Amino acid sequence: MSVNLHLGVVVRGYHADRAAEIERAVRAILVKEEIDVDLPPLAEAEDGAGRCLVSRSDRGRPVIISGAYEWATRVEGELRQAVATANGGPCALRFEWDDADEGRESDDECDIDDD
C-alpha cells in the first residue's frame, strides 16, 4: 500500500566540524532510496534546544512511498548508522515520516526531543 508522506531528517548532538560529512552520508542514502529530489540538503538551524541539521520535504508535495511502514523503519536504521559513522560517534537522529493526509504541522525549526 502506498502512503503520502512528509519526510524529514533532523540531527542533534553532532560534532559541528563533521556537518559536511554527515550531509554527504545522508545524501548518499537519499540518492539510493531515490528521494534525494524530495529532500533538500541538510541545513544548520537553531531552536530553543540548540543547534541541529535539518531537511524537510515540501509540505505542498507529499512523497508517495510504497510499503511505507517497513520502508521507513529500514531507512531510519540506515540513516542512524551512517550519521553516527560520519559524526565519529553517536548523535541524535530523527527520521520523520508523517502521514501527509493527517495534516500535522510543526512550528519548531528542528523539532526533535532526544534520541
Side-chain angles (χ1 to χ4, degrees):
M1 174 182 187
S2 295
V3 178
N4 294 321
L5 299 176
H6 295 301
L7 300 176
V9 177
V10 182
V11 181
R12 282 196 187 280
Y14 61 95
H15 300 295
D17 63 336
R18 305 293 297 183
E21 289 84 354
I22 293 168
E23 163 55 26
R24 282 192 292 275
V26 168
R27 186 69 24 203
I29 291 170
L30 300 181
V31 167
K32 179 180 78 82
E33 294 298 325
E34 299 179 355
I35 57 171
D36 55 305
V37 297
D38 299 305
L39 285 158
L42 289 173
E44 286 194 306
E46 194 162 329
D47 64 5
R51 186 181 68 227
C52 67
L53 294 171
V54 62
S55 174
R56 289 200 172 90
S57 61
D58 181 342
R59 302 294 290 181
R61 295 186 57 225
V63 182
I64 301 170
I65 301 292
S66 294
Y69 301 106
E70 182 178 307
W71 174 86
T73 301
R74 178 181 55 77
V75 171
E76 181 173 17
E78 290 177 15
L79 286 167
R80 190 171 305 282
Q81 182 176 359
V83 167
T85 299
N87 188 53
C91 57
L93 172 116
R94 178 192 281 171
F95 179 53
E96 301 170 346
W97 49 286
D98 300 323
D99 187 332
D101 297 327
E102 290 183 7
R104 177 183 173 268
E105 289 287 334
S106 173
D107 294 333
D108 294 336
E109 182 68 28
C110 298
D111 190 33
I112 186 174
D113 298 324
D114 61 296
D115 254 9

